[in-house]
Amino acid sequence: MDLDSHAEELASDLGVDNEEVKADLQNLVTYSVPIDEAKQSLRRKYGDGDGGSSGPTTKSIGEIDPDAGNVSVTGVVLTAGKRSIRYQGDDHEIVEGELADETGRIDFTAWEDFGLEAGQTLTVGNAGVREWNGQPELNLGEHTSITESDDALDVPYEIGGEASLTDLETGDRAATVEVVVLECERRTIDGRDGETEILSGVLGDESGRLPFTCWDPRPEIEPDATLRLENVYVREFRGVPEVNVSEYTTVDVLDAEIEVGTDAPSMTIGEAVSGGGVYDVELSGNLIEVRDGSGLIQRCPECGRVVQKNQCRTHGEVDGEDDLRVKAILDDGTGTVTVVLDDEVTAEVYGGDLDDAREQAREAMDQSVVAETIRERVVGREYRVRGHLSVDEYGANLDATTFAECDDDPAARASAFLAEVDG
């Protein structure tokens, strides 16, 4: 059954306008809500007894779960920021942010202009609840009522969205950061409306660094600029959090210096992987394996992917270009991660450049000898690796920027560990 048929059937059951139900159903499906769950949500919204409660339930924020249906809550707006999305072929302006009371906080999306601002204490009536990224989220629409209170609600959370870069997580909205632009380039990509110019690069502050994309290029965003960015959102790109600057972001140049932190947070592998992607992190462990596809490899000249027997998965038969790479398994007892070394770091580990690798492969008439040489030099040793960690359904990968053998005294580390356990 297609979406139109689902909407028509549901509208008939509920006695509600078909186009209104179709729009609501399309909205939920667009945000990856399963069709059966979306229909149940709309039955609750329009008061059908078979779908659940006929009206919203008053709850504290900490009590709300993804199956709560429609709720009424009172809370403080921690953040509120505009963003544009593509909905049913048209651009639609929404407001996203976070609402909190004494028991917790929850993300919200407002599909109507309620004039929401950070710091307001509001009673929100008949807000829909859906699951987003595994958590409940409030949806404020045309059937939602908003009443502002003059009595401020005291909540244990900071109002306004001020954050350091390391505080930001995928899914954060309407955040404010003060940063230095460390890297910036203008690129042309295939956007939803065809070719689109964007800015991309790296931002830094005292806490660390994160990549960014600016979808509405601003002249203020340039290398070495010190900026205050209000109303940015964070999404995952290539497995790590990325700051997104939109047309609704306020960009102000600061007359101040920000000293960018040079140290990456040091974590166990288990801790880093369970937390998802981390843009800049330091991991230590034993290198237990050099995987196939390491050493002297060939890449597609069109897309850069590794090719086998001059066959690219995307471009078919190609003349592969030689390159150096290492894919190795690092293990610290709490977990494992695949460490990927680029050509420069691989050359340091190998002890020679690309020409040296070609020569060794020619003499042996076997390019796998390069990987074997690397394997003999690194397997079984302990390394400290810094880089960008991405985690997806295929596992955890760390694209290394530095790769160095640990020089810590094992006896001293063992003593420190025992002291920690005894403590």
Side-chain angles (χ1 to χ4, degrees):
M1 187 182 294
D2 61 18
L3 188 70
D4 288 342
S5 300
H6 281 293
E8 185 176 349
E9 178 185 69
L10 192 58
S12 176
D13 288 348
L14 298 173
V16 181
D17 179 71
N18 181 60
E19 290 302 316
E20 185 176 359
V21 170
K22 180 180 175 181
D24 285 342
L25 196 59
Q26 177 67 55
N27 176 38
L28 293 171
V29 171
T30 298
Y31 279 84
S32 302
V33 178
I35 188 67
D36 290 339
E37 183 181 331
K39 290 168 68 174
Q40 284 294 92
S41 177
L42 293 184
R43 288 186 184 278
R44 291 192 294 265
K45 173 179 177 178
Y46 291 107
D48 178 42
D50 292 336
S53 174
S54 61
T57 304
T58 299
K59 288 182 175 288
S60 62
I61 289 176
E63 295 177 314
I64 298 174
D65 61 40
D67 299 320
N70 282 33
V71 299
S72 294
V73 297
T74 297
V76 177
V77 180
L78 299 182
T79 58
K82 291 182 179 180
R83 189 156 69 91
S84 177
I85 64 168
R86 182 63 55 84
Y87 172 59
Q88 293 187 337
D90 296 320
D91 290 331
H92 191 78
E93 187 179 276
I94 60 174
V95 175
E96 299 176 310
E98 200 171 26
L99 192 71
D101 65 9
E102 303 95 327
T103 67
R105 53 190 185 180
I106 189 170
D107 288 335
F108 69 82
T109 297
W111 299 90
E112 305 289 328
D113 185 3
F114 295 105
L116 302 179
E117 295 180 359
Q120 293 175 315
T121 297
L122 306 174
T123 295
V124 180
N126 197 28
V129 180
R130 70 180 182 116
E131 183 176 334
W132 182 245
N133 289 335
Q135 299 296 322
E137 179 192 76
L138 295 180
N139 272 260
L140 317 183
E142 59 180 322
H143 298 284
T144 302
S145 63
I146 303 287
T147 305
E148 186 170 3
S149 172
D150 292 331
D151 298 326
L153 186 66
D154 188 22
V155 297
Y157 307 104
E158 186 174 346
I159 297 172
E162 299 269 354
S164 63
L165 291 178
T166 55
D167 290 334
L168 296 179
E169 298 179 350
T170 298
D172 284 350
R173 315 158 180 194
T176 295
V177 293
E178 295 187 352
V179 294
V180 177
V181 181
L182 301 177
E183 301 174 20
C184 183
E185 66 171 339
R186 186 178 293 263
R187 298 191 292 122
T188 300
I189 65 168
D190 289 328
R192 65 188 185 189
D193 295 316
E195 288 193 349
T196 303
E197 270 202 351
I198 64 169
L199 299 177
S200 62
V202 179
L203 304 174
D205 66 7
E206 293 92 341
S207 70
R209 306 162 187 239
L210 275 184
F212 80 91
T213 293
C214 176
W215 301 96
D216 181 37
R218 316 287 185 87
E220 300 92 343
I221 301 179
E222 59 181 0
D224 301 324
T226 303
L227 306 172
R228 178 179 174 86
L229 306 176
E230 298 182 8
N231 188 24
V232 300
Y233 62 97
V234 184
R235 70 175 188 177
E236 183 179 291
F237 181 66
R238 292 180 179 171
V240 300
E242 177 191 72
V243 177
N244 281 249
V245 180
S246 75
E247 60 187 300
Y248 299 101
T249 301
T250 301
V251 180
D252 292 319
V253 177
L254 297 179
D255 185 19
E257 288 189 7
I258 295 178
E259 185 174 344
V260 178
T262 58
D263 294 331
S266 181
M267 300 182 181
T268 66
I269 294 175
E271 179 185 11
V273 171
S274 64
V278 185
Y279 179 68
D280 190 16
V281 66
E282 185 178 82
L283 306 177
S284 298
N286 293 307
L287 202 145
I288 61 174
E289 179 187 353
V290 171
R291 297 181 57 187
D292 292 341
S294 296
L296 181 61
I297 62 171
Q298 283 72 45
R299 295 188 182 275
C300 173
E302 297 292 329
C303 64
R305 289 188 176 92
V306 175
V307 300
Q308 299 289 341
K309 297 180 180 179
N310 287 333
Q311 289 292 321
C312 173
R313 288 181 298 172
T314 301
H315 297 97
E317 186 171 354
V318 296
D319 291 328
E321 297 179 343
D322 290 338
D323 196 10
L324 292 175
R325 180 185 73 172
V326 170
K327 295 180 70 175
I329 305 299
L330 194 73
D331 186 328
D332 71 348
T334 69
T336 62
V337 64
T338 299
V339 174
V340 182
L341 309 184
D342 65 12
D343 57 340
E344 292 185 6
V345 182
T346 298
E348 294 176 9
V349 172
Y350 172 57
D353 59 17
L354 187 58
D355 288 337
D356 295 322
R358 289 189 184 115
E359 181 62 26
Q360 184 185 17
R362 274 194 298 268
E363 290 180 357
M365 292 186 293
D366 182 1
Q367 74 176 45
S368 68
V369 298
V370 178
E372 189 58 37
T373 298
I374 295 171
R375 189 173 287 112
E376 291 173 356
R377 293 180 177 178
V378 298
V379 169
R381 298 177 181 273
E382 187 178 13
Y383 288 90
R384 181 177 292 110
V385 190
R386 179 173 178 176
H388 310 315
L389 176 71
S390 62
V391 182
D392 57 27
E393 64 270 26
Y394 300 108
N397 291 277
L398 184 72
D399 291 325
T401 55
T402 63
F403 180 81
E405 191 169 359
C406 292
D407 56 3
D408 301 343
D409 180 4
R413 281 194 291 133
S415 298
F417 175 74
L418 290 174
E420 183 178 345
V421 172
D422 291 341

